[in-house]
């Protein structure tokens, strides 16, 4: 994997660059649709390519490991061949999913012991075997195993958690370097910066991660209960120490405004389930704010969902029709809304990139964030 930094915005830490992988180029900043089980919910692969124009999608190690399992994915020749996606894939290590199973897991130096949410069976993730699992999946970018502490953790717990994550990281990094890809394309390994909401822990974690010299780095453990302004502060603290010549990935964040604020602070890559999850509940994100498509006010609005959209779906279907589909509980409603929201997120980061390159990102971003917060 290669990263080329093209330009840093004037009056901002926002950056425009290009990540090159064996499955294609990724212009940054970039938003990555989440395909937890090897599929983005409700969206075909050809729609991700042709309507959304996604450059990279995510898969999740925890879910893919449990179902369909590594035997099937390995026999298929990796996730790219299994799901038909021919562009880059990033896989999470499963650390966040294990964190969310707090009642059914135990963390030790060995790794994360947990019970499957599917059948209750016992499993163990170690820093080494999550590398092996991601070798079988064949993702272009794999993540290190980490613990994601709650945003409300006290200092003692946060420090203990970070020390465990650091020990796991060293083992995972060494195992990654001692193993090879399975399918003829290269794979990159991203460490994850933890440290909860404590400046000194975040700085310590970022320095430790930077010293490894990995091809890219991630910021985890945010948007897990802490105030938004604290999240932004932690991003700034971390990015003071992460190398500028490597991509920076903010995990699991967030709203369109969060996306722009993160870009403003030097983040290059982001993902979140919000576009598709909110779409299934009838919420659309637009350049002028959010729309609840279940509201009666859209029943006679025959204008396109988003007239200036780069996505054909938005220009073909009317707001009234989409509102009717939601009222009738038609599955097509969720599909259209999901495609729209993903296309909007991708268009948003593309606009951010253009304004970084044009030199007016700071002014554009301030006006965009104000509009994005409206309810239409």
């Amino acid at each position: 994997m290669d990263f080329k930094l093209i330009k840093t915005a004037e009056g901002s830490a926002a950056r425009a660059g290009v990540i090159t992988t064996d499955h294609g180029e990724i212009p940054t900043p970039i938003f990555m649709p989440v395909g937890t089980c090897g599929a983005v919910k409700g969206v075909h692969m050809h729609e991700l390519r042709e309507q959304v124009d996604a450059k990279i999608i995510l898969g999740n190690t925890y879910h893919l490991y449990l179902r369909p399992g590594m035997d099937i994915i390995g026999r298929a020749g990796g996730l790219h061949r299994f799901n038909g996606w021919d562009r880059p894939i990033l896989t999470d290590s499963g650390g966040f999913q294990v964190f969310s199973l707090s009642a059914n897991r135990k963390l030790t130096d060995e790794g994360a012991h947990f019970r499957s949410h599917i059948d209750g069976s016992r499993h163990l993730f170690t820093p080494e075997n999550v590398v092996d699992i991601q070798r079988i999946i064949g993702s272009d970018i794999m993540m290190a195993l980490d613990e994601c502490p709650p945003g409300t953790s006290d200092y003692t717990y946060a420090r203990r958690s970070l020390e465990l994550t650091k020990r796991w990281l060293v083992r995972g990094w060494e195992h990654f370097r001692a193993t090879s890809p399975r399918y003829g394309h290269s794979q990159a390994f991203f460490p994850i910066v933890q440290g909860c909401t404590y400046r000194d822990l975040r700085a310590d974690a970022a320095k430790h991660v930077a010293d490894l010299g990995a091809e890219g780095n991630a910021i985890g453990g945010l948007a897990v209960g802490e105030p938004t302004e604290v999240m932004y502060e932690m991003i700034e603290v971390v990015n003071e120490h992460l190398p500028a010549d490597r991509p920076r990935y903010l995990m699991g964040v967030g709203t369109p405004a969060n996306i722009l604020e993160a870009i403003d602070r030097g983040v290059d890559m982001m993902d979140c389930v919000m576009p598709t999850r909110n779409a299934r509940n009838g919420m659309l994100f637009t350049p002028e704010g959010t729309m609840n498509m279940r509201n009666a006010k859209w029943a006679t609005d025959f204008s396109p969902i988003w007239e200036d959209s780069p996505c054909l779906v938005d220009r073909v279907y009317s707001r009234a029709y989409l509102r009717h589909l939601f009222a009738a509980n038609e599955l097509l409603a969720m599909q259209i809304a999901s495609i729209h929201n993903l296309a909007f997120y991708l268009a948003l980061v593309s606009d951010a990139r253009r304004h970084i390159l044009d030199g007016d990102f700071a002014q554009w971003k301030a006006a965009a964030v104000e509009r994005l917060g409206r309810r239409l």
Side-chain angles (χ1 to χ4, degrees):
M1 194 195 82
D2 178 68
F3 176 63
K4 180 181 179 181
L5 180 60
I6 297 174
K7 185 174 181 178
T8 300
E10 299 174 13
S12 168
R15 299 131 54 90
V18 177
I19 298 170
T20 303
T21 75
D22 289 346
H23 282 101
E25 291 189 346
I26 307 164
T28 62
I30 193 67
F31 178 82
M32 303 178 286
V34 177
T36 301
C37 298
V40 177
K41 282 186 171 60
V43 184
H44 291 287
M45 293 299 174
H46 72 86
E47 292 167 331
L48 286 171
R49 284 188 290 264
E50 298 163 16
Q51 299 292 327
V52 175
D53 196 22
K55 305 299 184 183
I56 175 174
I57 63 172
L58 269 68
N60 182 264
T61 295
Y62 167 86
H63 289 281
L64 292 169
Y65 162 79
L66 292 177
R67 186 169 53 194
M70 292 302 100
D71 177 62
I72 289 176
I73 290 182
R75 290 166 64 182
L79 185 57
H80 287 91
R81 291 189 177 180
F82 187 57
N83 70 2
W85 179 252
D86 58 1
R87 295 180 182 181
I89 295 175
L90 180 149
T91 43
D92 189 357
S93 67
F96 182 80
Q97 282 65 39
V98 172
F99 152 75
S100 68
L101 297 170
S102 56
N104 294 306
R105 53 91 163 160
K106 179 181 179 182
L107 304 181
T108 68
D109 263 336
E110 183 183 14
H113 302 258
F114 63 95
R115 287 183 178 272
S116 164
H117 72 285
I118 299 171
D119 60 10
S121 56
R122 295 177 181 271
H123 301 272
L124 170 65
F125 275 176
T126 70
E128 293 84 6
N129 72 13
V130 296
V131 170
D132 294 335
I133 292 167
Q134 290 176 95
R135 290 292 195 198
I136 296 171
I137 293 171
S139 51
D140 299 87
I141 300 172
M142 67 172 75
M143 307 304 298
L145 181 65
D146 64 329
E147 184 194 359
C148 178
T152 55
S153 299
D154 62 35
Y155 187 86
T156 299
Y157 183 89
R159 173 172 281 282
R160 186 168 65 246
S161 171
L162 176 58
E163 291 305 318
L164 178 63
T165 289
K166 288 166 66 176
R167 292 193 297 273
W168 283 354
L169 173 56
V170 171
R171 288 167 49 194
W173 175 241
E174 291 176 351
H175 191 68
F176 170 77
R177 298 179 73 187
T179 57
S180 301
R182 294 169 58 109
Y183 308 116
H185 64 265
S186 64
Q187 292 180 283
F189 178 97
F190 281 23
I192 303 173
V193 176
Q194 290 289 350
C196 201
T197 58
Y198 302 101
R199 294 180 63 94
D200 62 326
L201 298 185
R202 284 284 176 179
D204 175 63
K207 292 174 185 176
H208 181 254
V209 161
D211 286 344
L212 291 181
E215 292 173 284
N217 301 295
I219 306 169
L222 294 176
V224 288
E226 80 285 353
T228 302
E229 290 306 318
V230 173
M231 176 178 71
Y232 296 153
E233 179 187 359
M234 293 303 105
I235 295 171
E236 293 172 5
V237 170
V238 169
N239 282 345
E240 287 178 7
H241 302 286
L242 292 183
D245 63 345
R246 310 293 164 91
R248 301 161 177 165
Y249 164 32
L250 177 62
M251 306 178 72
V253 181
T255 67
N258 292 157
I259 296 292
L260 293 187
E261 295 291 358
I263 292 171
D264 191 28
R265 290 162 172 80
V267 168
D268 306 296
M269 307 166 68
M270 293 136 288
D271 78 286
C272 191
V273 298
M274 185 173 288
T276 47
R277 177 179 290 170
N278 287 27
R280 295 193 297 275
N281 292 316
M283 176 180 283
L284 266 58
F285 297 101
T286 80
E288 303 303 321
T290 58
M291 301 165 57
N292 183 346
M293 299 313 297
R294 296 184 183 275
N295 287 349
K297 68 181 293 183
W298 308 116
T300 57
D301 187 340
F302 302 107
S303 61
I305 296 171
W306 176 19
E307 190 168 8
D308 298 326
S309 173
C311 172
L312 179 63
V313 166
D314 284 327
R315 304 193 302 272
V316 167
Y317 297 113
S318 71
R319 298 173 180 184
Y321 180 62
L322 182 55
R323 192 265 175 185
H324 156 69
L325 294 178
F326 272 110
N329 292 320
E330 286 285 348
L331 294 178
L332 183 59
M334 294 183 281
Q335 185 177 12
I336 292 172
S338 295
I339 294 171
H340 161 84
N341 277 353
L342 289 174
F344 171 70
Y345 267 62
L346 267 293
L348 184 67
V349 295
S350 178
D351 285 347
R353 176 185 171 85
R354 186 177 72 254
H355 286 283
I356 292 168
L357 295 174
D358 289 347
D360 63 348
F361 172 81
Q363 303 94 307
W364 170 81
K365 173 250 175 182
V369 167
E370 191 278 327
R371 292 194 304 272
L372 292 168
R374 300 172 184 167
R375 290 186 178 273
L376 304 179

